[in-house]
Amino acid sequence: MPKIQTFDSDGKPNGWVLPVWSELEQPVLKPAQVYVTAIAPGTRKGPHLHMKRRGMFSVIAGEVRFQMPIRDGSAQGTHDGFTVRPGDAVVIIPAGCPCALYNYGDTEALVINMPNPAWSKENPDDHPVTNWQDPADWKNL
């Protein structure tokens, strides 16, 4: 969902709204929890692997590279990624798919995560990730 320009009562631009999720557009993808995670400059979060929990992410500050294995079976250990910025589409990571979030920038990146089911101490759903491969350019930071 793209940013929406907002205006004051005189019709002058005064900011914007960034829709993150709407049950009208994604009724099946209802989040069970919503929280913000920060990624420090030049660091990564993950890789994470959740077998029961689907992740749904919206970047609200900075640029974040989402990296995950290619699922077509062409080359084991091969990974693919894409960069997400504020206003880009929501990213959905299905349960069972390992993923890492990278901040290549010089400032903190902020991401809203809307998982389902919700995370809890009693059922953290965190599993080991083996054979992880960082993007080749990550080593150059």
Side-chain angles (χ1 to χ4, degrees):
M1 293 177 256
K3 288 182 184 178
I4 300 169
Q5 179 74 51
T6 60
F7 302 90
D8 66 17
S9 58
D10 294 326
K12 295 179 185 171
N14 64 358
W16 49 267
V17 172
L18 178 60
V20 175
W21 176 83
S22 169
E23 69 178 5
L24 299 175
E25 294 183 28
Q26 300 287 348
V28 176
L29 298 176
K30 188 169 274 193
Q33 182 180 35
V34 178
Y35 62 89
V36 175
T37 187
I39 308 169
T43 67
R44 75 170 189 210
K45 294 277 184 137
H48 295 105
L49 175 58
H50 305 296
M51 300 308 289
K52 299 175 188 171
R53 187 169 35 262
R54 175 204 69 229
M56 192 164 59
F57 302 89
S58 181
V59 175
I60 58 173
E63 295 183 357
V64 177
R65 179 181 176 93
F66 286 75
Q67 188 83 3
M68 63 220 58
I70 295 174
R71 292 298 201 174
D72 65 4
S74 60
Q76 187 167 354
T78 302
H79 290 63
D80 195 12
F82 50 90
T83 300
V84 180
R85 297 166 185 84
D88 287 352
V90 168
V91 175
I92 299 167
I93 305 297
C97 180
C99 182
L101 284 63
Y102 295 79
N103 180 357
Y104 283 79
D106 296 329
T107 60
E108 183 176 74
L110 299 176
V111 179
I112 295 176
N113 189 0
M114 302 165 281
N116 192 333
W119 180 91
S120 72
K121 289 180 184 179
E122 294 75 32
N123 186 13
D125 190 29
D126 295 318
H127 301 273
V129 177
T130 58
N131 300 324
W132 186 258
Q133 200 172 359
D134 285 319
D137 58 354
W138 186 246
K139 297 171 186 149
N140 298 327
L141 289 181

